[in-house]
Amino acid sequence: MNANTPPARVVATPAALALIALLKTKHGPALMFHQSGGCCDNSAANCFLPGEITMGAGDVYLGDIGGCPFYMGKAQ
């Protein structure tokens, strides 16, 4: 990375990428991740299948991990 290249907004460890690959094999390639704040749904990323969650105006796309889109609540 040179001085003009911004840092990645999302990254994953090799172990996480291996788990994502396993999940994609088991559930299909259309997985997505979303991280929201708050005490009730934790502050951890959650993995969803198509149709399990709808992105809204308060969600921001940060990039892909393991070929899957990663979103975060704008307030975070």
Side-chain angles (χ1 to χ4, degrees):
M1 175 167 48
N2 65 43
N4 296 323
T5 304
R9 295 178 79 180
V10 291
V11 295
T13 65
L17 292 173
L19 179 58
I20 292 168
L22 176 68
L23 290 170
K24 288 168 73 174
T25 299
K26 187 172 183 176
H27 299 287
L31 300 176
M32 63 178 294
F33 293 90
H34 184 269
Q35 180 170 337
S36 61
C39 64
C40 300
D41 56 0
N42 300 314
S43 292
N46 293 282
C47 183
F48 295 96
L49 294 168
E52 288 186 323
I53 188 172
T54 302
M55 295 296 102
D59 297 305
V60 178
Y61 169 73
L62 297 180
D64 287 355
I65 55 170
C68 301
F70 190 104
Y71 295 86
M72 182 178 276
K74 186 185 267 186
Q76 299 301 317

